[in-house]
Amino acid sequence: METPPLTPQSRLPASITTTRPSRLSWLDALRGIAALVVVFDHSSYTFMADFRQELMPHFNTSRYGIMVFFLVSGYIIPASLERRGCVRTFWIGRIFRVYPLWAAVVAVLLTVNLLGIAEIRDFGEQSAAAVAVAHATMLQELLGTPNLLLILWTLSYEMAFYLLVVALFTVRLHERSAAVAVLLAVLAAVTVTAGLALPPSALSGLVGTGPLIAFASIAMGVAICCASARSPVLRVFGGVLGGVLALVLVPFNGTVPLWEGLVILAVMFLGTAVYRAENGQSTWRYAAGTAVIVVACAVGSAYRYGDGDHFTRRGWIVAFLLAVLTFGVGLLSQRRCIPRMLTGLGTISYSVYLVHPVLLAVIDSTIGRRRQDSLAFEVAFFAALLPLCVLTHRYVEGPGQAWGRRLARRVQPP
């Protein structure tokens, strides 16, 4: 899942080559931990399937990693927008942060698929154009389109969060993060308690995937352009349009259960509430109360939802609680010396997140999955992956971020 480094650079990550402290290095460390856990979750299918089968009912490693990522995103993304004070430069920063590596990874995946050394997912009756447009918006998970790479589903929720953050900023309600988090968490608990459930991609099934992709992509483009305009009226219109789009797609067209989609958004806004408390925009008592409500509603929702074919409530609850605990420990450790290895991993975490599934797809299609658990192969995979991600950060992410910064400076209003 993409979560951007706080201080992008076009050369090797500073946290790997220097001990210079940073007050935000704890966030890099959290991303580094989350990235490692997500990689293990996916690579264990190939190298440690038996161990994975025993572990998942007790600890859902995937949910742990992405919840840590979502908490970090919730903490830093609204801060990035408010620090700039300009929606236009915010979107430029997001686009040049997220899309260059995303495009490179997708291009490599399509290439190895054409060469026959990896396979992409079957998109059924959806046209190539519809799939391409859905992925270009990064909302494909919420538009009824299978992801080219499974991990891309989290980027759809990140994009929905961006739209909501911009919406709140344009109508000057961005400081109500705690209230939004509580509202979303309570709605999640209410829906699962009332037995409200929707089939995956319910809205696509109702109106058709193609029409929904067309409408959503146009609406998103209009929302971003209008929210970035100079006219206050257009900015509000664009912000509200994007926020409404996100609030429709997340609960009514996601593939995760209705309650979990709402919990994901609540978790991100919980991260924002913590940021506001730390920066004096709110009180710690208010943030703590928000955390208690969000955690209680999330855990209660998962427990009420029960066990299913692809869901074990114990594993989800343990992972969720450990993710919140990890974020809390990181917050308390922010003034301590953070190991360079963790901050370095955090800096390249977006590369780690996007590159590892492509490497696994090639391994699965050529060498094949191990019949017996092999810790040696697991370690060897990490040893091959991390240097590759340093290179993609240096030659893809870094230049993309530099281009974005230059463009943002040119369009920054006086």
Side-chain angles (χ1 to χ4, degrees), residues 260-389:
E260 189 175 14
L262 294 171
V263 164
I264 286 172
L265 293 180
V267 163
M268 286 193 272
F269 279 108
L270 172 59
T272 310
V274 172
Y275 163 79
R276 300 208 183 284
E278 189 179 24
N279 286 273
Q281 301 173 11
S282 179
T283 65
W284 279 111
R285 180 178 297 180
Y286 198 35
T290 301
V292 169
I293 294 173
V294 171
V295 170
C297 288
V299 171
S301 297
Y303 186 85
R304 179 77 177 181
Y305 184 71
D307 296 324
D309 293 337
H310 304 288
F311 182 89
T312 304
R313 60 184 174 188
R314 177 192 296 175
W316 193 98
I317 291 172
V318 169
F320 178 81
L321 292 176
L322 285 178
V324 174
L325 179 61
T326 300
F327 185 79
V329 170
L331 183 66
L332 294 174
S333 304
Q334 59 181 303
R335 303 190 188 281
R336 297 180 179 273
C337 182
I338 305 296
R340 289 188 300 169
M341 179 180 294
L342 288 180
T343 57
L345 284 170
T347 304
I348 65 171
S349 60
Y350 187 47
S351 281
V352 173
Y353 195 75
L354 287 189
V355 171
H356 83 269
V358 179
L359 189 56
L360 281 173
V362 172
I363 291 173
D364 287 345
S365 296
T366 54
I367 301 175
R369 296 184 173 183
R370 303 292 299 175
R371 294 183 179 181
Q372 295 181 336
D373 288 355
S374 175
L375 181 60
F377 275 91
E378 183 74 38
V379 172
F381 177 76
F382 276 87
L385 172 68
L386 295 181
L388 178 61
C389 293

Side-chain angles (χ1 to χ4, degrees), residues 190-197 304:
V190 169
T191 58
V192 75
T193 302
L196 298 178
R304 179 77 177 181

Side-chain angles (χ1 to χ4, degrees), residues 37 55-62 64 314-316 318-320 322:
V37 174
L55 177 65
M56 287 302 108
H58 307 287
F59 176 46
N60 188 322
T61 49
S62 174
Y64 169 83
R314 177 192 296 175
W316 193 98
V318 169
F320 178 81
L322 285 178

Side-chain angles (χ1 to χ4, degrees), residues 198-216:
L198 294 172
S201 306
L203 194 57
S204 292
L206 181 64
V207 303
T209 301
L212 183 62
I213 291 173
F215 173 81

Side-chain angles (χ1 to χ4, degrees), residues 233-279:
V233 174
L234 284 178
R235 285 202 300 269
V236 172
F237 171 76
V240 171
L241 177 61
V244 170
L245 179 65
L247 288 177
V248 170
L249 292 179
V250 169
F252 298 114
N253 214 52
T255 59
V256 301
L258 171 59
W259 66 269
E260 189 175 14
L262 294 171
V263 164
I264 286 172
L265 293 180
V267 163
M268 286 193 272
F269 279 108
L270 172 59
T272 310
V274 172
Y275 163 79
R276 300 208 183 284
E278 189 179 24
N279 286 273

